[in-house]
Amino acid sequence: MELSLLLLISSILLLSFFYRTFLFFKRAPLLKPTKSTVLEGYPIIGNLPLFIKNRRRILDWVAELIPTSPTGTVTVAPIVFTANPSNVEHLARTNFDNYPKADDVVATLHDFFGRGILIANGEEWRFQRKAASFEFNTKSLRAFVLDKVRHETVHRLIPLLKRAGRSGEVLDLQDVLERFAFDNICSLVFGEDPKCLSRESEEGEKFYHVFHEASELIVQRAMRPFSLIWKLGKWLDIGSEKRLRKSLEIVHGFVDKFIRSRREQIRGGGDFLSRFAADGTRSDEFIRDILISFVLAGRDTTPTALTWFFWVLSSKPEVVEKIREEIKSIRSRHGNYDSEVLTLDQLREMGYLHAAVSESLRLYPPVPLLLRKSKGEDELPDGTRVGKGWTVMYSPYAMGRAEGIWGQDCGEFRPERWMEDEVFQPTSPFRYTVFHAGPRMCLGKDMAYIQMKAVAASILEAFEVEVVEKRGKYQLSMTMRMEGGLPVRIQERSI
């Protein structure tokens, strides 16, 4: 998951202002076409008025800017927005070392993530990436993940939905999915089940809420226009910084307790903590930083993606019917009508469901903007110049709506675009950037699909899901959550 977006939104105004303060030039037309498009600003203040005007709608603004450029790149110095797959490949792979995570981003988020993989650079990042890559590619981990998803689905999610269906209760499906995901990621990372979906554990509830509070407070810190503001607040230990300190003390206390317990037990297991703790050369603090990054990466992205998926399907009954037909066909071939969940092999056979999830992610990516800081001057493949210290961003949100990439029907939800002869056909990660690309490509991609498909298939097969209030606006936090949640009414189906 990419966290740099949080800091970008607050600092983008200052970047433009301070850069343009040193550039005095004549007023020029708003759009000046070159190889890419350049937005020329005004003397002294540069493009500051544009940033102020669009600060609350940056995703839509970028998506509107991209089509104005013949190359899919727009320069608003010292920021470059691009939706050009060749440029993305250059940033994410070809010239990867020139575009690390920005130092100011790392400094802002360090108190929460420490030296974790989400904000690490250089050799520290490579070490964690190598270790994590080995773990993510083991068959035992995939089996462990599916086992946890099955248990949570059968024993908590389905019973909860059945109760809601019988009582007529309106559920916030986004909240349900977030609790489901937190239970699963904690089981995967720590080997501990907080039981948040069933609300059976006071300690689990406390961990769930304090982790959420800490993440929201770190977002607030990142949104400060000047880093001096939060640094002063931290030094004085007042306001939101005091609350953040207390929240982090509790979060770190929980994780440290898990680590100590596992060290003392010296037992093996399928969870990450067991795997990392087995190596006695790593400090408890370093393991804590790694594990917190994993929890955050898995806590928000999957439930955000599923929330938008069910919202889209609420207006696409024909897609729902095709998914149900696929489930029925696969069950028929395998003869497991009585099983409440599908096996890993059956989930992999579900090409149309995979296409529908991918199509939803194309239009509503959990992480809609990704940014990097240029260490040195550079030139992108489309001829765009990048200055030293500039911010370069590519937007999965804008790229998913780019006609040059997806065709004239790019704004339509059409899973069939992913299918050829009834088989799912993947595309280049440099044009479909939902899971990032290059060396930083999401390690949990396959596991995310397993979880999303397992949950989606279980719900769609057994229930009708009716969205009862108008929704569709996004809210930028750690991910692109749905503003106001997703209130639904559930009804059991006769299968």
Side-chain angles (χ1 to χ4, degrees):
M1 191 185 75
E2 180 66 39
L3 301 176
S4 306
L5 168 62
L6 307 173
L7 193 62
L8 168 76
I9 296 174
S10 61
S11 62
I12 196 169
L13 306 179
L14 299 175
L15 284 170
S16 178
F17 177 75
F18 289 129
Y19 179 78
R20 292 294 185 176
T21 297
F22 300 100
L23 299 178
F24 293 83
F25 47 81
K26 294 181 179 180
R27 183 173 178 172
L30 183 61
L31 293 179
K32 179 183 176 183
T34 57
K35 288 184 178 179
S36 60
T37 294
V38 178
L39 269 67
E40 298 288 3
Y42 301 87
I44 308 298
I45 62 173
N47 289 294
L48 187 59
L50 280 177
F51 288 132
I52 292 174
K53 178 182 177 181
N54 294 287
R55 69 189 185 281
R56 299 188 185 280
R57 57 182 302 275
I58 188 169
L59 296 184
D60 296 311
W61 183 42
V62 173
E64 291 164 5
L65 286 177
I66 293 302
T68 68
S69 170
T71 68
T73 304
V74 177
T75 299
V76 194
I79 299 169
V80 175
F81 302 102
T82 187
N84 186 315
S86 295
N87 289 348
V88 173
E89 183 172 8
H90 181 82
L91 294 167
R93 184 172 68 181
T94 308
N95 203 14
F96 173 77
D97 288 335
N98 189 54
Y99 293 97
K101 297 290 183 75
D103 289 342
D104 51 358
V105 173
V106 173
T108 302
L109 302 174
H110 180 269
D111 286 341
F112 197 174
F113 297 101
R115 295 178 292 161
I117 192 171
L118 290 181
I119 61 172
N121 282 315
E123 290 304 315
E124 200 164 66
W125 170 79
R126 289 184 173 87
F127 169 77
Q128 293 184 60
R129 178 77 182 192
K130 183 178 179 180
S133 180
F134 174 78
E135 300 296 347
F136 271 96
N137 287 312
T138 60
K139 291 183 179 180
S140 61
L141 184 63
R142 288 192 290 272
F144 182 83
V145 170
L146 185 58
D147 181 64
K148 295 300 180 184
V149 172
R150 281 175 178 165
H151 182 274
E152 186 81 357
T153 300
V154 171
H155 296 288
R156 294 183 187 148
L157 180 61
I158 290 178
L160 184 153
L161 296 178
K162 284 183 176 180
R163 289 194 299 271
R166 291 164 187 164
S167 68
E169 174 189 358
V170 173
L171 291 176
D172 179 357
L173 189 57
Q174 181 166 251
D175 178 68
V176 169
L177 293 169
E178 287 175 348
R179 287 175 171 276
F180 179 95
F182 194 73
D183 284 348
N184 276 289
I185 195 63
C186 286
S187 295
L188 172 62
V189 172
F190 305 123
E192 301 285 344
D193 181 358
K195 301 178 182 179
C196 293
L197 186 58
S198 59
R199 304 174 192 255
E200 297 174 34
S201 167
E202 287 187 17
E203 188 174 56
E205 277 288 295
K206 182 178 180 181
F207 187 39
Y208 175 76
H209 286 292
V210 77
F211 199 97
H212 176 76
E213 181 180 44
S215 64
E216 290 299 307
L217 289 170
I218 207 74
V219 168
Q220 290 180 27
R221 172 191 280 188
M223 297 288 281
R224 302 286 185 192
F226 297 95
S227 62
L228 181 61
I229 295 175
W230 70 258
K231 289 178 180 177
L232 182 60
K234 179 181 177 180
W235 182 66
L236 294 173
D237 195 31
I238 58 174
S240 62
E241 286 298 318
K242 182 177 182 178
R243 289 166 52 211
L244 176 60
R245 176 184 59 79
K246 290 182 175 180
S247 297
L248 288 177
E249 285 176 355
I250 298 173
V251 169
H252 291 167
F254 268 104
V255 179
D256 289 342
K257 183 179 68 174
F258 295 149
I259 295 172
R260 286 195 303 270
S261 174
R262 196 56 45 84
R263 295 279 204 199
E264 292 168 1
Q265 293 172 4
I266 317 179
R267 64 177 174 85
D271 57 273
F272 283 154
L273 177 52
S274 294
R275 295 164 187 260
F276 282 110
D279 183 354
T281 64
R282 295 167 179 163
S283 71
D284 288 359
E285 182 181 355
F286 187 47
I287 292 175
R288 184 186 71 197
D289 292 345
I290 295 173
L291 299 182
I292 286 177
S293 287
F294 286 148
V295 171
L296 190 70
R299 183 192 72 122
D300 288 343
T301 50
T302 301
T304 294
L306 282 170
T307 299
W308 287 105
F309 177 71
F310 280 104
W311 177 76
V312 171
L313 290 191
S314 67
S315 62
K316 300 290 180 180
E318 70 282 3
V319 175
V320 173
E321 188 57 35
K322 286 183 180 180
I323 293 172
R324 287 171 175 161
E325 289 174 359
E326 183 175 61
I327 296 171
K328 184 177 180 179
S329 174
I330 289 172
R331 283 197 182 280
S332 178
R333 285 202 304 273
H334 290 267
N336 70 332
Y337 292 104
D338 297 330
S339 175
E340 291 189 78
V341 292
L342 296 153
T343 67
L344 182 59
D345 287 340
Q346 289 171 330
L347 288 171
R348 284 175 172 162
E349 288 180 31
M350 299 196 66
Y352 187 79
L353 176 57
H354 198 102
V357 171
S358 298
E359 183 73 344
S360 178
L361 287 168
R362 176 181 72 85
L363 292 170
Y364 302 99
V367 183
L369 281 174
L370 300 131
L371 70 90
R372 295 291 181 264
K373 205 66 161 292
S374 178
K375 289 171 62 177
E377 291 190 3
D378 194 21
E379 184 175 306
L380 302 181
D382 68 357
T384 301
R385 187 180 73 84
V386 178
K388 180 179 179 180
W390 283 22
T391 297
V392 185
M393 295 197 313
Y394 58 96
S395 169
Y397 184 86
M399 294 181 77
R401 289 162 165 73
E403 186 174 317
I405 298 176
W406 299 100
Q408 293 183 349
D409 64 349
C410 59
E412 298 178 20
F413 178 81
R414 195 171 63 82
E416 287 74 17
R417 77 174 74 247
W418 296 89
M419 304 295 289
E420 184 176 327
D421 297 327
E422 299 185 353
V423 177
F424 176 84
Q425 298 296 325
T427 189
S428 165
F430 302 112
R431 66 195 295 266
Y432 182 69
T433 55
V434 171
F435 293 94
H436 312 338
R440 284 192 183 267
M441 189 169 184
C442 178
L443 287 168
K445 175 184 175 181
D446 291 340
M447 288 194 298
Y449 268 115
I450 289 172
Q451 293 184 64
M452 288 187 289
K453 290 168 71 175
V455 172
S458 296
I459 294 177
L460 292 174
E461 184 180 34
F463 303 98
E464 299 287 353
V465 181
E466 176 193 2
V467 177
V468 297
E469 293 181 21
K470 186 177 180 180
R471 286 295 184 269
K473 292 183 179 180
Y474 60 76
Q475 171 191 352
L476 290 179
S477 182
M478 284 290 183
T479 55
M480 193 176 75
R481 299 174 75 247
M482 184 170 290
E483 183 180 289
L486 184 61
V488 301
R489 187 170 283 113
I490 303 295
Q491 182 179 347
E492 288 187 67
R493 298 180 65 242
S494 298
I495 303 175

Coordinates of all heavy atoms in Angstrom, one line a residue, residues 36-74:
S36 N 4.6 16.8 -23.8 CA 3.5 16.6 -22.8 C 2.9 18.0 -22.6 O 3.3 19.0 -23.2 CB 4.0 16.0 -21.5 OG 5.0 16.8 -20.9
T37 N 1.9 18.1 -21.7 CA 1.3 19.3 -21.4 C 1.9 20.0 -20.2 O 2.2 19.3 -19.2 CB -0.2 19.1 -21.2 OG1 -0.8 18.7 -22.5 CG2 -0.9 20.4 -20.8
V38 N 2.1 21.3 -20.3 CA 2.7 22.0 -19.2 C 1.7 23.1 -18.7 O 1.2 23.9 -19.6 CB 4.0 22.7 -19.6 CG1 4.5 23.6 -18.4 CG2 5.0 21.7 -20.0
L39 N 1.3 23.1 -17.5 CA 0.5 24.1 -16.9 C 1.4 25.3 -16.4 O 2.1 25.1 -15.5 CB -0.4 23.6 -15.8 CG -1.8 23.1 -16.1 CD1 -1.6 21.8 -16.9 CD2 -2.6 22.8 -14.9
E40 N 1.3 26.4 -17.1 CA 2.1 27.5 -16.8 C 1.4 28.4 -15.7 O 0.2 28.6 -15.8 CB 2.4 28.4 -18.0 CG 3.2 27.7 -19.1 CD 4.7 27.5 -18.7 OE1 5.0 27.8 -17.5 OE2 5.4 26.9 -19.5
G41 N 2.1 28.8 -14.7 CA 1.5 29.6 -13.6 C 1.7 31.0 -13.8 O 1.9 31.6 -14.9
Y42 N 1.7 31.7 -12.7 CA 1.8 33.2 -12.6 C 3.1 33.6 -11.9 O 3.7 32.8 -11.1 CB 0.6 33.7 -11.9 CG -0.7 33.4 -12.5 CD1 -1.4 32.2 -12.2 CD2 -1.3 34.2 -13.5 CE1 -2.6 31.9 -12.8 CE2 -2.5 33.9 -14.0 CZ -3.1 32.7 -13.7 OH -4.3 32.4 -14.3
P43 N 3.5 34.8 -12.1 CA 4.7 35.2 -11.4 C 4.6 35.0 -9.8 O 3.5 35.3 -9.3 CB 4.9 36.7 -11.7 CG 4.2 36.8 -13.1 CD 3.0 35.8 -13.0
I44 N 5.6 34.6 -9.2 CA 5.7 34.4 -7.8 C 4.8 33.3 -7.3 O 5.3 32.3 -6.6 CB 5.3 35.7 -7.0 CG1 6.1 36.9 -7.5 CG2 5.5 35.5 -5.5 CD1 7.6 36.8 -7.3
I45 N 3.5 33.3 -7.5 CA 2.6 32.3 -6.9 C 2.5 31.1 -7.7 O 1.9 30.1 -7.3 CB 1.2 32.9 -6.7 CG1 0.5 33.3 -8.0 CG2 1.3 34.1 -5.7 CD1 -0.9 33.8 -7.8
G46 N 3.0 31.0 -9.0 CA 2.9 29.8 -9.8 C 1.5 29.3 -10.0 O 0.6 30.0 -10.3
N47 N 1.3 28.0 -9.7 CA 0.0 27.4 -9.9 C -0.7 27.2 -8.5 O -1.7 26.5 -8.4 CB 0.2 26.0 -10.5 CG 0.7 26.0 -11.9 OD1 -0.1 26.5 -12.8 ND2 1.9 25.6 -12.2
L48 N -0.3 28.1 -7.6 CA -1.0 28.0 -6.3 C -2.5 28.1 -6.3 O -3.2 27.3 -5.7 CB -0.4 29.1 -5.3 CG -0.8 29.0 -3.9 CD1 -0.4 27.7 -3.2 CD2 -0.2 30.2 -3.1
P49 N -3.1 29.0 -7.1 CA -4.5 29.1 -7.2 C -5.2 27.8 -7.7 O -6.3 27.5 -7.2 CB -4.8 30.3 -8.2 CG -3.5 31.1 -8.1 CD -2.4 30.1 -7.9
L50 N -4.5 27.1 -8.6 CA -5.1 25.9 -9.1 C -5.1 24.8 -8.0 O -6.1 24.1 -7.8 CB -4.3 25.4 -10.3 CG -4.6 26.0 -11.6 CD1 -3.7 25.5 -12.7 CD2 -6.1 25.8 -12.0
F51 N -4.0 24.7 -7.2 CA -3.9 23.8 -6.2 C -5.0 24.0 -5.1 O -5.6 23.1 -4.5 CB -2.5 23.7 -5.6 CG -1.5 23.1 -6.5 CD1 -0.3 23.7 -6.7 CD2 -1.8 21.9 -7.1 CE1 0.6 23.2 -7.6 CE2 -0.8 21.3 -7.9 CZ 0.4 22.0 -8.2
I52 N -5.1 25.3 -4.8 CA -6.1 25.7 -3.7 C -7.5 25.3 -4.2 O -8.3 24.7 -3.5 CB -6.1 27.2 -3.4 CG1 -4.7 27.5 -2.7 CG2 -7.2 27.6 -2.6 CD1 -4.5 29.0 -2.5
K53 N -7.8 25.6 -5.5 CA -9.1 25.3 -6.0 C -9.4 23.8 -6.0 O -10.6 23.4 -5.8 CB -9.2 25.9 -7.4 CG -10.5 25.6 -8.1 CD -10.5 26.1 -9.6 CE -11.8 25.8 -10.3 NZ -11.8 26.3 -11.7
N54 N -8.4 23.0 -6.3 CA -8.6 21.5 -6.5 C -8.1 20.7 -5.4 O -8.1 19.4 -5.5 CB -8.0 21.1 -7.8 CG -8.6 21.7 -9.0 OD1 -9.7 21.3 -9.4 ND2 -7.9 22.7 -9.6
R55 N -7.8 21.3 -4.2 CA -7.2 20.5 -3.2 C -8.1 19.4 -2.6 O -7.6 18.4 -2.1 CB -6.7 21.4 -2.0 CG -7.8 22.1 -1.2 CD -7.3 23.1 -0.3 NE -8.3 23.7 0.6 CZ -9.1 24.6 0.3 NH1 -9.1 25.1 -1.0 NH2 -10.0 25.1 1.1
R56 N -9.4 19.6 -2.7 CA -10.3 18.6 -2.1 C -10.8 17.6 -3.2 O -11.6 16.8 -2.9 CB -11.5 19.3 -1.4 CG -11.1 20.2 -0.3 CD -12.3 20.7 0.5 NE -11.9 21.6 1.5 CZ -11.5 21.2 2.7 NH1 -11.4 20.0 3.0 NH2 -11.2 22.2 3.7
R57 N -10.4 17.8 -4.4 CA -10.8 16.9 -5.5 C -9.6 16.5 -6.4 O -9.7 16.5 -7.6 CB -11.9 17.6 -6.3 CG -11.5 18.9 -6.9 CD -12.7 19.6 -7.7 NE -13.1 18.8 -8.7 CZ -12.6 18.7 -10.0 NH1 -11.6 19.5 -10.3 NH2 -13.2 18.0 -10.9
I58 N -8.5 16.3 -5.7 CA -7.2 16.0 -6.5 C -7.3 14.9 -7.4 O -6.8 14.9 -8.5 CB -6.0 15.9 -5.5 CG1 -4.7 15.9 -6.3 CG2 -6.1 14.7 -4.6 CD1 -3.5 16.0 -5.5
L59 N -8.0 13.8 -7.0 CA -8.1 12.6 -7.9 C -8.9 13.0 -9.2 O -8.4 12.6 -10.3 CB -8.9 11.5 -7.2 CG -8.2 10.9 -6.0 CD1 -9.0 9.7 -5.5 CD2 -6.8 10.4 -6.3
D60 N -10.0 13.7 -9.1 CA -10.8 14.0 -10.2 C -10.0 15.1 -11.1 O -10.1 15.1 -12.3 CB -12.1 14.6 -9.8 CG -13.0 13.5 -9.2 OD1 -13.1 12.4 -9.7 OD2 -13.5 13.8 -8.1
W61 N -9.3 16.0 -10.4 CA -8.5 17.0 -11.1 C -7.5 16.3 -12.0 O -7.3 16.6 -13.2 CB -7.9 17.9 -10.1 CG -7.1 19.1 -10.7 CD1 -7.5 19.8 -11.8 CD2 -5.8 19.6 -10.3 NE1 -6.5 20.8 -12.1 CE2 -5.5 20.6 -11.2 CE3 -5.0 19.2 -9.3 CZ2 -4.3 21.3 -11.1 CZ3 -3.8 19.9 -9.2 CH2 -3.5 21.0 -10.0
V62 N -6.7 15.4 -11.4 CA -5.7 14.7 -12.2 C -6.3 13.9 -13.3 O -5.8 13.9 -14.5 CB -4.9 13.7 -11.3 CG1 -3.9 12.9 -12.1 CG2 -4.1 14.5 -10.2
A63 N -7.5 13.3 -13.1 CA -8.2 12.5 -14.1 C -8.6 13.4 -15.3 O -8.7 13.0 -16.4 CB -9.3 11.7 -13.5
E64 N -8.9 14.7 -14.9 CA -9.3 15.7 -15.9 C -8.1 16.2 -16.7 O -8.2 16.5 -17.9 CB -10.1 16.8 -15.3 CG -11.5 16.4 -14.7 CD -12.0 17.4 -13.7 OE1 -11.4 18.5 -13.6 OE2 -13.1 17.2 -13.2
L65 N -7.0 16.4 -16.0 CA -5.8 16.9 -16.6 C -5.2 16.0 -17.7 O -4.8 16.4 -18.8 CB -4.8 17.2 -15.6 CG -5.0 18.4 -14.7 CD1 -3.8 18.5 -13.7 CD2 -5.0 19.7 -15.5
I66 N -5.2 14.7 -17.3 CA -4.5 13.7 -18.2 C -5.0 13.7 -19.6 O -4.1 13.7 -20.5 CB -4.6 12.3 -17.6 CG1 -3.9 12.2 -16.2 CG2 -4.1 11.2 -18.5 CD1 -2.4 12.5 -16.3
P67 N -6.3 13.8 -19.9 CA -6.7 13.7 -21.3 C -6.3 15.0 -22.1 O -6.3 15.0 -23.4 CB -8.2 13.7 -21.2 CG -8.5 13.1 -19.9 CD -7.4 13.6 -19.0
T68 N -5.9 16.1 -21.4 CA -5.5 17.3 -22.1 C -4.1 17.1 -22.8 O -3.7 18.0 -23.6 CB -5.4 18.5 -21.2 OG1 -4.4 18.3 -20.2 CG2 -6.8 18.7 -20.5
S69 N -3.4 16.1 -22.4 CA -2.0 15.9 -22.9 C -1.9 14.8 -23.9 O -2.5 13.7 -23.7 CB -1.1 15.5 -21.7 OG 0.2 15.1 -22.2
P70 N -1.3 15.0 -25.0 CA -1.1 14.0 -26.1 C -0.3 12.8 -25.6 O -0.4 11.7 -26.2 CB -0.4 14.7 -27.2 CG 0.2 15.9 -26.6 CD -0.6 16.3 -25.5
T71 N 0.5 12.9 -24.6 CA 1.3 11.8 -24.1 C 0.8 11.2 -22.8 O 1.3 10.3 -22.3 CB 2.7 12.3 -23.9 OG1 2.8 13.2 -22.8 CG2 3.3 12.9 -25.1
G72 N -0.3 11.8 -22.2 CA -0.8 11.4 -21.0 C 0.0 11.8 -19.8 O 0.0 11.2 -18.7
T73 N 0.8 12.9 -20.0 CA 1.6 13.5 -18.9 C 1.4 15.0 -18.8 O 1.3 15.7 -19.8 CB 3.1 13.2 -19.1 OG1 3.3 11.8 -19.3 CG2 3.9 13.7 -18.0
V74 N 1.2 15.5 -17.6 CA 1.0 16.9 -17.4 C 2.0 17.4 -16.3 O 2.1 16.8 -15.2 CB -0.4 17.2 -16.9 CG1 -0.6 18.7 -16.6 CG2 -1.4 16.8 -17.9

